[in-house]
């Protein structure tokens, strides 16, 4: 098992640990059917000569495929690769939050605040407040459901 460490913002680190790591400090093993697994596999490169040992707040088990890059040789994720992974994880998290809030509100009739609390507890996120999740959702909803033209009040 070959691993590498990357730096992610704290809320994304907590999200990955909650989603794939069972809240343990062990290295995170991504399922091979996820897009994130294949993204990391595509971004792996040879470690540059004289490169320092990896440091970061998330340790990830490197993908091991039967064909292609061998993790013993291709085990380095550069700064650019870490930025790409961070953006992808953030997109995944916010998409899941938006979907969960819409589903729980319209299917189960749950309040948005309760749905956010459920998401925070499900993944053990402590770095962001409930208000941050709610504000992000309201901004997204406003952009996605914006009316083209407002009707005049007919009284």
């Amino acid at each position: 098992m070959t691993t590498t460490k990357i730096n992610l913002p704290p809320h994304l680190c907590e999200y990955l640990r909650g989603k794939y790591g069972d809240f343990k400090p062990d290295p995170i093993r991504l399922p091979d059917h996820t897009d994130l697994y294949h993204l990391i596999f595509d971004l792996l490169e040879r470690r540059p000569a004289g490169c320092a040992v990896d440091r970061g707040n998330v340790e990830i088990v490197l993908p091991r495929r039967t064909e292609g890059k061998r993790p013993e040789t291709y085990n380095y994720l550069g700064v650019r690769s870490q930025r790409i992974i961070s953006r992808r994880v953030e997109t995944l998290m916010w998409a899941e939050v938006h979907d969960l809030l819409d589903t729980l509100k319209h299917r189960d009739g749950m309040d948005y605040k309760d749905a956010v609390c459920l998401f925070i507890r499900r993944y053990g996120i402590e770095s962001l407040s409930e208000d941050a999740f709610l504000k992000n959702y309201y901004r997204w909803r406003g952009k996605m459901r914006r009316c083209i033209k407002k009707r005049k009040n007919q009284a």
Side-chain angles (χ1 to χ4, degrees):
M1 171 173 80
T2 308
T3 64
T4 189
K5 290 185 176 185
I6 63 172
N7 275 318
L8 291 177
H11 64 284
L12 300 180
C13 176
E14 294 164 352
Y15 173 71
L16 279 180
R17 280 214 171 86
K19 187 164 181 81
Y20 300 113
D22 297 330
F23 303 104
K24 297 176 185 172
D26 299 338
I28 295 170
R29 185 180 302 273
L30 300 168
D32 62 353
H33 65 283
T34 60
D35 290 338
L36 192 56
Y37 177 90
H38 294 284
L39 175 72
I40 290 173
F41 180 74
D42 290 340
L43 292 174
L44 286 174
E45 56 188 83
R46 287 182 187 258
R47 183 172 296 280
C51 182
V53 178
D54 295 332
R55 284 183 293 201
N57 56 0
V58 179
E59 189 171 10
I60 297 174
V61 175
L62 295 178
R64 184 166 189 86
R65 311 288 293 175
T66 55
E67 296 177 5
K69 302 175 185 176
R70 299 188 55 80
E72 295 82 19
T73 308
Y74 294 88
N75 57 10
Y76 179 72
L77 293 167
V79 175
R80 179 183 156 271
S81 299
Q82 290 182 30
R83 240 181 295 139
I84 292 169
I85 293 168
S86 176
R87 276 191 237 129
R88 178 66 62 92
V89 172
E90 188 155 23
T91 302
L92 290 172
M93 184 187 81
W94 289 120
E96 188 171 348
V97 169
H98 299 158
D99 183 54
L100 181 75
L101 266 62
D102 275 343
T103 302
L104 292 177
K105 173 67 175 179
H106 299 296
R107 190 188 66 198
D108 300 336
M110 186 182 285
D111 290 337
Y112 287 129
K113 192 165 184 122
D114 295 335
V116 166
C117 287
L118 180 70
F119 183 83
I120 288 172
R121 275 184 285 149
R122 180 183 292 175
Y123 295 117
I125 297 174
E126 298 173 353
S127 301
L128 289 179
S129 66
E130 294 173 14
D131 288 340
F133 282 99
L134 286 171
K135 285 179 183 179
N136 180 280
Y137 176 73
Y138 292 143
R139 280 189 213 110
W140 172 80
R141 187 180 67 179
K143 280 192 264 182
M144 298 306 293
R145 299 180 184 164
R146 183 171 291 144
C147 294
I148 296 171
K149 190 163 84 173
K150 291 189 178 184
R151 292 184 283 163
K152 291 185 177 181
N153 191 2
Q154 297 175 355

